[in-house]
Amino acid sequence: MENKRFITAALAAALFLTAIPAYSADEEPIYGSQLMTQQERIEHRERLRSAQSAEEREKIRNEHHKRMQERAKAAGKSLPDEPPKNGGFMQPGGKGSAGGGGGGGGR
C-alpha cells in the first residue's frame, strides 16, 4: 500500500513538472509566436541575441510587437495593445504579458 502511494505521488509530480514550461534564454517565449513560423521565431531570437544593448533589444521588441499587431488584425485575431515589458509574451486566453524578459517567462 505504501508503495502504491509513492508511485502515485511520483507520477503526479512527473505530470506536474512536464506541464511547467522550462525556457532557456534562447527559448524565451515570443510575443505573438502563435502567428509566426518556426523560421521567423529563430530569426527573431537571433536578432535579440545579437543586439548590442538593452535599448536595441527594446527597439527590436517594439518593432516586432507592431508587426504582430498588424498580422493579428489581418488574421482577425487580437493581441494586447501595449508591448509587453522586458520581452514578455501573451498568455493563453489573451491575458496580456506575463513574466519578464532576459531569460525567462512563463508562457
Side-chain angles (χ1 to χ4, degrees):
M1 185 67 162
E2 188 67 30
N3 198 21
K4 270 189 169 180
R5 286 185 184 166
F6 175 76
I7 291 171
T8 301
L11 286 172
L15 287 172
F16 176 75
L17 291 175
T18 59
I20 299 173
Y23 297 103
S24 70
D26 290 342
E27 297 174 347
E28 177 181 309
I30 299 173
Y31 174 81
S33 64
Q34 66 273 34
L35 302 172
M36 300 169 71
T37 66
Q38 180 66 27
Q39 185 62 37
E40 287 173 321
R41 290 189 290 272
I42 290 168
E43 291 169 2
H44 179 70
R45 286 187 183 110
E46 183 55 38
R47 284 187 70 207
L48 289 172
R49 212 179 358 256
S50 64
Q52 299 297 310
S53 66
E55 291 79 17
E56 187 177 348
R57 279 186 294 280
E58 190 63 24
K59 181 180 176 189
I60 291 167
R61 286 186 182 110
N62 286 336
E63 290 169 355
H64 173 76
H65 178 83
K66 184 177 179 183
R67 277 193 311 276
M68 291 301 103
Q69 285 283 320
E70 291 167 356
R71 190 175 289 187
K73 185 176 181 179
K77 299 182 181 195
S78 65
L79 295 172
D81 290 333
E82 293 299 315
K85 301 298 181 208
N86 299 319
F89 54 90
M90 185 170 162
Q91 289 182 338
K95 297 297 183 190
S97 72
R107 155 120 0 180

